[in-house]
């Protein structure tokens, strides 16, 4: 069954469609997954392998269908401590797939191409971090990326492309948008499951819709807020973490000198005018009333107005206020932790927000690795009102009604390579 999308007028081919029309046995597949995982900055170890586990399903199925599979993923961003090679990912992926997966210390060079050419049916390799290639950092239209060296080098040694990386499909990068234009392409099982769940659960009618946004990706979150506001997709936005600090500065509130300096060092102060513009345009956004802070080695709870320490988590009054707002919601979307959750002293805010959301009457969509780990830790994973998404930024842009570039490219591809898949307004 091709994959239908709500609020959209296209069908995307799945692995079944690809196999039926073109045949997977004996073919070579470029499979883009997203196994970007939290990494311990000290040891380089992978802290949570949930994404690796999830994508094992697609890899296994392609191998069972007799394809040779060359797997692509990014990890971190150049210059960040989590920008590492994928050698360890390959070991974990092999473990979860239950088949050998060789790591190839190359992305688009001769070694990578030789290894792909030599792949037999049911064999897989994982190429190295796609972001080792400078083209992969550039955001451009699918048509341009279809002509990138990345695509020119790898497309000739494979037959098909499968995009299983829902969580990266908001990035218009070659490994996401370039290949579909030049070869028959399909969605993988993780992407398919995500799209089907979101189409079923999210009609856009659920009001009020509350978005709880934390985490460290402030530039991305601001962009997402601009989309959410432009599309009137959020009735209430509850902020935590650095996003909250940005909006507090934009509102003229005092966050303490040390925290201002941190915002400055991360380039976040430059975003204040954009944040202010959103507030002036009426974005219904709340900021915390208290924080858990660190003063030297001492953990304190400090109300807004007299913050002296470094902000590490939201405080109990904020949790209470946010939980009350969530009680009224019909849909709650949580993305990003409320504090520095790697440290158990600053995990409580996120734990209590997740618990309050799941115990409300709302349907809850949770995105991003850290919160997923908290859901499992609290034993809430099986709740019926909960969808745990693999996506963070991609999820929010999707919910804001934006067409993700990765899906756009697959749509263009389907029109070219699957003309028999009927395109038409979705009625499901
Ligand atoms: C994510 O974790 O949201 C995806 O892997 C995308 O990562 P990026 O924000 O570095 O593009």
């Amino acid at each position: 069954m091709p994959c239908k999308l709500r609020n959209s007028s296209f069908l995307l081919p799945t692995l079944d469609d690809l196999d039926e029309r073109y045949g997977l046995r004996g073919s070579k597949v470029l499979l883009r997954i997203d196994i970007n995982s939290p990494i311990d900055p000290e040891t380089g170890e992978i802290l949570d392998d949930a994404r690796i586990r999830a994508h094992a399903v697609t890899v296994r199925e392609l191998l069972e269908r007799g394809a040779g599979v060359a797997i692509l993923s990014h990890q971190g961003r150049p210059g960040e401590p989590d920008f590492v090679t994928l050698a360890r990912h390959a070991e974990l992926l092999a473990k979860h797939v239950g088949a050998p997966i060789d790591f190839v210390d190359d992305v688009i060079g001769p070694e990578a191409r030789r290894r792909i050419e030599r792949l037999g049916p049911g064999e897989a390799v994982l190429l190295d971090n796609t972001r080792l290639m400078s083209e992969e950092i550039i955001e451009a239209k699918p048509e341009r990326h279809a002509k990138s060296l990345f695509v020119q080098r790898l497309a000739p040694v494979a037959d098909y492309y499968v995009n299983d990386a829902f969580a990266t499909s908001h990035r218009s990068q070659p490994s996401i948008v370039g290949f579909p234009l030049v070869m028959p392409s399909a969605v993988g099982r993780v992407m398919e499951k995500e799209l089907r769940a979101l189409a079923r659960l999210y009609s856009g009618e659920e009001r009020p819709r509350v978005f709880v946004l934390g985490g460290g990706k402030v530039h991305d979150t601001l962009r997402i807020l601009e989309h959410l506001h432009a599309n009137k997709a959020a009735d209430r936005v509850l902020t935590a973490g650095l996003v909250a600090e940005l909006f507090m500065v934009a509102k003229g509130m005092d966050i303490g000198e040390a925290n201002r300096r941190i915002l400055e060092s991360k380039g976040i102060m430059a975003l204040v005018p954009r944040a202010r513009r959103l507030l002036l345009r009426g974005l219904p956004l709340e900021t915390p009333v208290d924080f858990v802070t660190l003063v030297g080695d001492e953990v304190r709870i400090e109300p807004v107005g007299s913050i002296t320490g470094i902000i590490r988590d939201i405080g109990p009054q904020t949790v209470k206020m946010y939980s009350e707002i969530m009680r009224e919601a019909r849909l709650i979307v949580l993305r990003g932790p409320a504090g520095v959750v790697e440290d158990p002293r600053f995990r409580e805010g996120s734990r209590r927000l997740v618990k309050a959301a799941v115990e409300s009457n709302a349907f809850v969509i949770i995105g991003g690795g850290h919160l997923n780990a908290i859901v499992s830790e609290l034993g809430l994973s099986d709740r019926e009102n909960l969808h745990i998404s693999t996506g963070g930024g991609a999820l929010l842009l999707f919910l804001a009604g934006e067409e993700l570039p990765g899906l756009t490219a697959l749509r263009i591809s389907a029109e070219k390579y699957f003309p028999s898949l009927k395109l038409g307004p979705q009625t499901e």
Side-chain angles (χ1 to χ4, degrees):
M1 263 280 280
C3 197
K4 294 180 186 177
L5 297 181
R6 188 173 289 280
N7 297 333
S8 150
S9 59
F10 59 91
L11 305 176
L12 299 179
T14 62
L15 295 187
D16 305 302
D17 301 305
L18 190 60
D19 205 3
E20 203 172 290
R21 182 167 167 83
Y22 290 99
L24 281 167
R25 187 153 299 278
S27 70
K28 307 253 171 65
V29 174
L30 293 173
L31 169 65
R32 176 56 156 101
I33 60 178
D34 182 346
I35 47 175
N36 181 28
S37 307
I39 302 282
D40 184 325
E42 302 299 318
T43 63
E45 268 304 300
I46 295 171
L47 294 171
D48 174 45
D49 66 355
R51 281 181 169 177
I52 301 178
R53 249 182 294 128
H55 285 292
V57 174
T58 307
V59 177
R60 198 178 308 117
E61 182 171 342
L62 282 168
L63 296 180
E64 283 166 4
R65 287 182 186 246
V69 189
I71 307 165
L72 293 156
S73 177
H74 72 284
Q75 167 64 57
R77 300 174 181 182
E80 299 290 333
D82 62 348
F83 182 62
V84 297
T85 81
L86 300 187
R88 180 73 186 123
H89 298 65
E91 289 169 16
L92 290 172
L93 188 58
K95 185 181 106 190
H96 292 303
V97 172
I101 295 177
D102 281 354
F103 167 67
V104 178
D105 181 6
D106 189 11
V107 189
I108 65 168
E111 175 63 7
R113 297 200 299 276
R114 196 164 37 242
R115 295 296 297 274
I116 299 173
E117 274 165 344
R118 282 193 198 146
L119 279 173
E123 289 178 354
V125 291
L126 175 64
L127 305 178
D128 208 349
N129 193 339
T130 53
R131 291 187 180 169
L132 285 162
M133 300 293 105
S134 51
E135 281 178 325
E136 187 72 352
I137 316 299
I138 300 169
E139 292 270 326
K141 295 249 179 268
E143 292 73 15
R144 181 165 153 210
H145 278 322
K147 295 187 182 128
S148 61
L149 282 178
F150 201 119
V151 172
Q152 280 182 42
R153 292 275 162 85
L154 291 190
V157 289
D159 302 296
Y160 315 127
Y161 170 80
V162 172
N163 185 353
D164 208 22
F166 173 73
T168 327
S169 287
H170 58 317
R171 304 283 178 221
S172 204
Q173 297 166 345
S175 74
I176 295 288
V177 302
F179 293 106
L181 269 60
V182 301
M183 60 211 303
S185 301
V187 296
R189 294 302 184 204
V190 172
M191 172 83 96
E192 183 184 343
K193 190 170 158 218
E194 192 85 55
L195 295 178
R196 288 195 197 284
L198 292 173
R200 185 169 53 83
L201 304 172
Y202 183 78
S203 68
E205 302 298 314
E206 308 82 358
R207 297 264 172 182
R209 272 184 247 153
V210 176
F211 286 73
V212 187
L213 305 181
K217 293 181 179 173
V218 183
H219 287 78
D220 279 354
T221 306
L222 190 60
R223 179 174 150 232
I224 285 159
L225 281 170
E226 286 164 350
H227 285 283
L228 285 174
H229 189 55
N231 298 331
K232 302 201 175 359
D235 298 305
R236 246 12 221 281
V237 178
L238 313 180
T239 57
L242 291 171
V243 186
E245 292 178 48
L246 165 67
F247 277 94
M248 288 171 73
V249 174
K251 286 178 177 182
M253 297 162 89
D254 180 20
I255 58 166
E257 201 37 48
N259 298 303
R260 273 188 89 91
R261 274 204 302 275
I262 293 173
L263 293 193
E264 252 150 35
S265 71
K266 289 181 182 287
I268 295 173
M269 288 304 256
L271 303 176
V272 169
R274 272 170 69 192
R276 198 168 284 145
R277 229 173 357 256
L278 272 174
L279 293 171
L280 288 172
R281 287 186 189 147
L283 177 70
L285 178 139
E286 308 295 335
T287 48
V289 290
D290 61 349
F291 286 105
V292 180
T293 63
L294 200 54
V295 184
D297 283 342
E298 191 195 333
V299 176
R300 287 191 194 163
I301 293 171
E302 297 189 298
V304 169
S306 48
I307 298 168
T308 55
I310 294 176
I311 294 172
R312 281 291 178 253
D313 194 4
I314 53 171
Q317 290 309 319
T318 306
V319 170
K320 204 160 155 235
M321 175 177 108
Y322 284 5
S323 303
E324 263 162 41
I325 295 172
M326 284 195 277
R327 259 199 291 281
E328 306 296 315
R330 292 279 310 281
L331 178 85
I332 301 170
V333 181
L334 287 111
R335 187 233 179 170
V340 186
V341 289
E342 292 82 356
D343 184 330
R345 295 173 298 172
F346 310 118
R347 213 172 163 81
E348 205 43 34
S350 302
R351 282 170 58 95
R352 289 180 58 192
L353 285 184
V354 166
K355 198 155 181 288
V358 176
E359 285 174 355
S360 73
N361 295 318
F363 191 79
V364 181
I365 300 177
I366 290 191
H370 286 297
L371 292 183
N372 297 355
I374 288 179
V375 172
S376 331
E377 176 182 309
L378 292 170
L380 297 171
S381 310
D382 294 335
R383 290 296 180 105
E384 283 201 346
N385 63 333
L386 175 67
H387 171 61
I388 299 177
S389 172
T390 50
L395 169 74
L396 290 181
L397 286 171
F398 183 86
L399 295 180
E402 297 294 311
E403 188 178 284
L404 305 182
L407 300 181
T408 308
L410 287 169
R411 174 169 56 79
I412 299 170
S413 181
E415 283 166 14
K416 186 166 167 190
Y417 295 104
F418 288 85
S420 61
L421 283 189
K422 253 230 229 65
L423 301 174
Q426 195 214 326
T427 48
E428 194 179 82

